[in-house]
Amino acid sequence: MTKPIIEVKDLAKNFGKNQVLKDITEQVTPGQVIVVIGPSGSGKSTFLRCLNLLETPTSGEVDFAGENLTTLDTKRVNELREQMGMVFQSFNLFPNMTVLENIKLAPMKVKHMDDATATKRAHELLKQVNLDDHADAFPASLSGGQAQRVAIARSLAMDPKVMLFDEPTSALDPEMVGEVLSVMQQLAEQGMTMVVVTHEMGFAKSVADRVWFMADGYIQENSTPDDFFSNPQTERAQDFLSKILM
Amino acid sequence: MKKRLVLFFALLLALVTGFTALTTTANAATDNSLTKIEKKGTLVMGTSPDYPPYEFQATVHGKTKIVGMDVAVGQKIAKDMGVKLVVKSMSFDSLLVALQTGKVDMVISGMNPTPARRKNVDFTHTYYQGGYSIVINKSDKGIYKNKDSFVGKTIGAQTGSTMYNESKKQTSGTTVKGMTSVSDLILALQSHKIQGVAMEKPSAQAYVANNKELAAIPSDFNLSASDTSASVAFAKGSTALVNKANKSVDQIKKQNLVNKTYLPAAGKYLKTNTVNTSMFHYWKAFLTGVEYTLIITVCSVFFGFILGVLLSLARMDRGGVFKTALRWLATAYVEFIRGTPMMVQVMFVYFGLGLIVNLPALTSGIIAISLNSGAYVAEYIRGGINSVDNGQTEAARSLGMSSGATLRYVVLPQALKNIWPSLGNEFITLIKDSSIVSIIGVSELIFQSNIVRSDTYRGVAPIAVIMVLYFILTFTASRILNYFERRMQHD
Ligand SMILES: Nc1ncnc2c1ncn2[C@@H]1O[C@H](COP(=O)(O)OP(=O)(O)OP(=O)(O)O)[C@@H](O)[C@H]1O
Ligand SMILES: [Mg+2]
């Protein structure tokens, strides 16, 4: 078996008295696409944000490429975050910069890439997400689907080893969901390691290698999409599926 | 860390030596006062140049300079010591404080050696024995005869002067109104706000000679010699210096230099001054005012902004004991500065900080206003940073940007855009509020206008000129700020 790129060991996270994550131990191997599903408020976002330390775990370990993030200094954490792109439900594009500038900012300021190289790379990425004609637009003029594709391109500009998606299509009008999912599917086909929190069951079925079902602070099930959707093991999952598939 | 420690000790040392130096000059070291001046090679004279013919500003070959009989006295003293005279102007009220805090070495400003003042400074023998007159409107000449004719009326005098105190003491039923500058008093007289202005005889003569609307009457104040004479003031305990200066003063008296040479010379300057009293003739003085107002404002905005950013960050940083202490300090600073008048802060920096390091007035002014502005800017910036959605920070951090880079490239530009109108207001306010530093003698617009007023004996015109100038400055500034605001609008 190949070495895991992300290893989570006994991860727990409390917000005050609220135990959101209780005890999670899982692994992601390179090239895998993991889809995390579960009821609202079950801690999916919190889990994802613990992976790149946007949230500091209360206890336990998050290893990335063999390094335990929770023990590293800020500088090293910053370096490892470059290798984990993150896409947010609300896009979080920088409104005061053009699409091109949004994509170029981190490569230039963090990797100290020169302007010409960064521009060239940004245009390539924009072509990949079918938005090269919007390079000079400001985020406010984009539709939700376009904005989210720019956000994906912006993350890819740092050449990450893993991409984390937190409900990337939940804020979109239904007719725009497809364009974002197809970009994500392409990315999966190119071999990108992905952890995706989503309610898009079609995407989970067709693209995921594993489905993690999260509820009550635990990963209740870790199985292939086929097994999960046709034969859920826990009552919690059966209940969840019956609600959303109806 | 090490560097910081070194700086800290250097500061401490400066503080300690500053205070020891102070106490020693006050007590024992009487005799190095003269040596110190001789070593320095300059003798700094403080004066309030709005009191012709004692001291006033005149335009000589296109340059403004302070002249008058007091300056001639100062020159004689400096020459006899073999050093160069440097004349520093400030408001009359500030003169003795400036002397005590070492901003100036001596004060010659038509100052009477009253017992109260003697407690704080040392005086030379008197170099001039004057008397008081009351200046009135010529049209009132029949009505008022002397100080006792003003029952139910108002007399004006320069605040902090002997005339002011005596007018209060020696009249009954008369209101005494104090103003800082004599030109303001004359203006008040001519606009019938007050009916007379008490001032020293030579000054009264100068005003009457230069303004046909005015007349002088005897004051008939009952005065001791110390109230009508003028002396040179030195810091308390500088006996050697006083003794040396006394030799010059005695010569001046013996040879009657004041009446024979100094007053006539001063009179000549007065004539050249009043030949052309059109405001255009004084464009250079106003230009200097605009220049200094801009220097003060721009520097203060710059440093105030940097200070504001640092303060706001300190206030928002959560963490260990060190950060908590820093946050507490920053909060206390902001509250304290916002809770005290800027004028007091300016005086505190100039005179108070002056005990430790001798800062020029302009630098003190810029420091004080920057310190003040920083506190206000800090609050704007804190609000601005809070107004930027947290998702922006998270997006930047998830791209691997450090917290510093996130702040600089992502959060601050957006925060700045949000608070630009408030910052713009602060800038405009500073253009206007920078006028406060006129009290410590920085030649910004207000200060310059006061000089032009006492130069030309015209009360209103210079005020009108600077009003227009201030408006041009603030209007231009707000146009420029609007331009940038528009350029920042993308969404
Ligand atoms: N910063 C925070 N401070 C306090 N409580 C938080 C914080 N973030 C999340 N929580 C709480 O943790 C719990 C899990 O939240 P989380 O956002 O991880 O759930 P989720 O599974 O992503 O839900 P959703 O499907 O609605 O996005 C919720 O009860 C939430 O209120
Ligand atoms: Mg969520």
Side-chain angles (χ1 to χ4, degrees):
Chain A
M1 202 184 141
T2 45
K3 243 174 69 184
I5 183 144
I6 298 176
E7 254 188 296
V8 181
K9 295 175 189 160
D10 302 319
L11 174 67
K13 175 69 186 176
N14 305 344
F15 289 112
K17 286 205 179 101
N18 184 7
Q19 293 192 327
V20 177
L21 305 178
K22 289 175 183 153
D23 185 0
I24 294 177
T25 301
E26 295 292 347
Q27 311 189 334
V28 182
T29 49
Q32 259 189 333
V33 175
I34 309 286
V35 167
V36 182
I37 59 178
S40 182
S42 59
K44 304 181 298 294
S45 297
T46 307
F47 172 69
L48 210 60
R49 292 154 59 83
C50 280
L51 295 184
N52 67 354
L53 243 56
L54 279 185
E55 299 288 359
T56 314
T58 307
S59 65
E61 222 178 88
V62 177
D63 293 0
F64 182 82
E67 290 183 73
N68 179 0
L69 291 178
T70 56
T71 61
L72 299 175
D73 63 5
T74 329
K75 194 164 165 278
R76 186 68 190 140
V77 169
N78 288 341
E79 284 166 8
L80 292 178
R81 274 202 190 114
E82 288 176 38
Q83 303 177 30
M84 285 183 270
M86 188 169 210
V87 174
F88 303 84
Q89 185 174 336
S90 51
F91 327 134
N92 295 345
L93 292 179
F94 307 134
N96 54 330
M97 303 177 202
T98 63
V99 164
L100 201 68
E101 288 164 348
N102 260 277
I103 299 173
K104 279 161 53 180
L105 181 71
M108 287 176 68
K109 299 305 176 195
V110 179
K111 289 192 164 170
H112 306 291
M113 199 181 273
D114 65 86
D115 190 57
T117 318
T119 307
K120 189 164 160 275
R121 177 90 179 105
H123 280 298
E124 282 167 19
L125 288 165
L126 281 173
K127 279 190 195 110
Q128 189 179 333
V129 299
N130 285 323
L131 278 173
D132 202 27
D133 48 339
H134 288 71
D136 296 320
F138 279 94
S141 68
L142 301 179
S143 73
Q146 292 170 331
Q148 195 60 296
R149 284 184 282 150
V150 171
I152 294 172
R154 181 175 68 176
S155 286
L156 291 175
M158 294 303 281
D159 291 317
K161 294 203 179 103
V162 174
M163 286 285 285
L164 310 174
F165 293 83
D166 190 1
E167 303 200 28
T169 57
S170 293
L172 301 182
D173 291 337
E175 73 268 21
M176 293 171 185
V177 171
E179 62 195 55
V180 173
L181 288 181
S182 80
V183 166
M184 288 167 64
Q185 183 161 5
Q186 270 175 33
L187 211 54
E189 282 160 8
Q190 288 163 13
M192 176 62 76
T193 311
M194 294 163 53
V195 181
V196 184
V197 174
T198 186
H199 293 299
E200 294 296 329
M201 296 305 148
F203 180 83
K205 277 179 197 158
S206 58
V207 183
D209 296 307
R210 307 289 298 180
V211 171
W212 295 356
F213 175 70
M214 183 178 244
D216 305 326
Y218 297 98
I219 303 280
Q220 308 263 1
E221 290 195 33
N222 174 348
S223 47
T224 62
D226 283 346
D227 285 348
F228 180 72
F229 288 106
S230 55
N231 192 16
Q233 298 297 305
T234 59
E235 208 175 304
R236 209 74 177 72
Q238 289 158 11
D239 188 43
F240 175 76
L241 284 174
S242 71
K243 271 184 201 144
I244 59 158
L245 294 179
M246 278 325 296
Chain B
M1 196 59 216
K2 208 165 160 199
K3 249 192 195 152
R4 259 190 231 149
L5 232 78
V6 169
L7 193 73
F8 173 73
F9 279 114
L11 266 172
L12 200 74
L13 196 76
L15 225 108
V16 169
T17 38
F19 278 115
T20 10
L22 222 94
T23 39
T24 39
T25 41
N27 300 328
T30 39
D31 282 322
N32 70 7
S33 57
L34 179 60
T35 348
K36 241 164 82 187
I37 299 293
E38 284 168 348
K39 219 184 247 167
K40 195 165 59 130
T42 55
L43 183 65
V44 182
M45 158 181 166
T47 194
S48 167
D50 58 351
Y51 203 56
Y54 281 81
E55 47 266 321
F56 53 99
Q57 300 250 353
T59 315
V60 184
H61 305 302
K63 273 195 181 146
T64 30
K65 92 185 223 205
I66 300 169
V67 295
M69 72 177 227
D70 279 351
V71 179
V73 171
Q75 251 146 9
K76 163 97 175 133
I77 293 174
K79 199 178 154 207
D80 292 349
M81 285 181 191
V83 296
K84 222 179 129 236
L85 182 78
V86 176
V87 181
K88 219 172 182 179
S89 63
M90 57 189 73
S91 74
F92 191 80
D93 293 334
S94 306
L95 283 173
L96 290 187
V97 190
L99 188 58
Q100 284 167 315
T101 54
K103 293 278 164 202
V104 298
D105 301 318
M106 67 174 176
V107 167
I108 315 180
S109 201
M111 191 173 271
N112 312 124
T114 59
R117 285 181 184 143
R118 272 187 199 284
K119 279 188 200 139
N120 297 312
V121 294
D122 284 350
F123 280 104
T124 60
H125 304 154
T126 58
Y127 59 85
Y128 183 73
Q129 185 77 40
Y132 294 139
S133 298
I134 297 177
V135 175
I136 56 170
N137 288 313
K138 206 175 226 167
S139 50
D140 293 343
K141 218 172 168 187
I143 308 172
Y144 305 113
K145 269 175 45 216
N146 62 17
K147 67 173 166 65
D148 299 320
S149 329
F150 292 89
V151 178
K153 311 280 187 197
T154 306
I155 291 185
Q158 202 176 12
T159 319
S161 69
T162 309
M163 286 75 76
Y164 179 76
N165 297 332
E166 292 308 319
S167 305
K168 280 207 133 159
K169 261 189 248 158
Q170 298 194 27
T171 56
S172 55
T174 303
T175 314
V176 180
K177 178 148 182 63
M179 290 189 186
T180 342
S181 94
V182 179
S183 22
D184 284 333
L185 287 165
I186 294 291
L187 180 63
L189 176 68
Q190 291 192 287
S191 52
H192 302 281
K193 302 258 181 330
I194 57 180
Q195 284 70 46
V197 181
M199 64 176 90
E200 299 211 29
K201 221 178 259 165
S203 300
Q205 279 159 5
Y207 273 99
V208 171
N210 282 289
N211 192 329
K212 287 191 233 35
E213 312 285 310
L214 301 176
I217 56 168
S219 65
D220 293 343
F221 278 127
N222 184 13
L223 294 164
S224 68
S226 78
D227 286 332
T228 52
S229 54
S231 293
V232 184
F234 286 96
K236 192 93 191 151
S238 37
T239 317
L241 206 47
V242 173
N243 287 343
K244 178 77 184 164
N246 266 335
K247 288 196 187 120
S248 314
V249 170
D250 292 347
Q251 259 181 30
I252 291 172
K253 279 212 102 162
K254 211 163 113 204
Q255 300 174 13
N256 198 11
L257 285 176
V258 171
N259 286 318
K260 268 208 216 133
T261 319
Y262 299 164
L263 275 177
K268 265 188 212 133
Y269 281 121
L270 274 175
K271 287 218 183 75
T272 54
N273 255 3
T274 42
V275 168
N276 189 344
T277 61
S278 93
M279 287 301 110
F280 188 73
H281 185 68
Y282 284 87
W283 67 274
K284 264 196 179 142
F286 288 117
L287 188 71
T288 310
V290 170
E291 212 174 281
Y292 276 89
T293 293
L294 282 178
I295 289 174
I296 295 162
T297 313
V298 170
C299 290
S300 304
V301 159
F302 179 75
F303 292 118
F305 180 75
I306 293 174
L307 180 68
V309 171
L310 296 178
L311 281 171
S312 62
L313 293 182
R315 282 197 79 172
M316 292 196 296
D317 219 353
R318 312 271 137 169
V321 185
F322 181 70
K323 284 181 177 171
T324 310
L326 215 60
R327 185 170 84 233
W328 195 86
L329 265 175
T331 310
Y333 176 85
V334 169
E335 293 301 327
F336 186 77
I337 292 291
R338 300 209 303 175
T340 48
M342 177 132 96
M343 182 188 258
V344 179
Q345 292 161 8
V346 169
M347 302 215 292
F348 185 80
V349 168
Y350 187 55
F351 296 122
L353 219 60
L355 292 176
I356 301 160
V357 272
N358 196 7
L359 295 170
L362 178 65
T363 319
S364 304
I366 290 174
I367 290 177
I369 297 185
S370 303
L371 289 176
N372 179 284
S373 174
Y376 287 90
V377 171
E379 286 305 276
Y380 297 138
I381 293 182
R382 198 162 68 107
I385 290 179
N386 284 336
S387 74
V388 176
D389 178 34
N390 199 33
Q392 295 289 308
T393 306
E394 293 191 342
R397 297 308 299 272
S398 76
L399 288 166
M401 291 170 75
S402 66
S403 55
T406 302
L407 192 71
R408 180 164 161 211
Y409 298 113
V410 176
V411 178
L412 274 187
Q414 295 182 53
L416 213 57
K417 198 194 92 183
N418 292 348
I419 60 170
W420 191 256
S422 319
L423 284 182
N425 267 340
E426 174 69 13
F427 184 68
I428 306 270
T429 308
L430 277 192
I431 291 179
K432 295 182 282 179
D433 282 1
S434 63
S435 59
I436 282 178
V437 301
S438 63
I439 55 167
I440 55 172
V442 179
S443 28
E444 48 67 69
L445 267 174
I446 299 268
F447 188 87
Q448 293 297 92
S449 77
N450 282 336
I451 283 169
V452 174
R453 290 170 72 199
S454 55
D455 260 19
T456 56
Y457 301 89
R458 291 180 67 179
V460 186
I463 298 180
V465 170
I466 61 162
M467 212 155 131
V468 171
L469 287 176
Y470 270 120
F471 180 72
I472 292 173
L473 287 182
T474 54
F475 188 75
T476 315
S478 75
R479 289 295 103 179
I480 294 172
L481 290 165
N482 281 352
Y483 169 76
F484 282 108
E485 189 176 350
R486 254 179 287 122
R487 279 198 43 179
M488 282 191 290
Q489 286 321 329
H490 300 305
D491 43 44

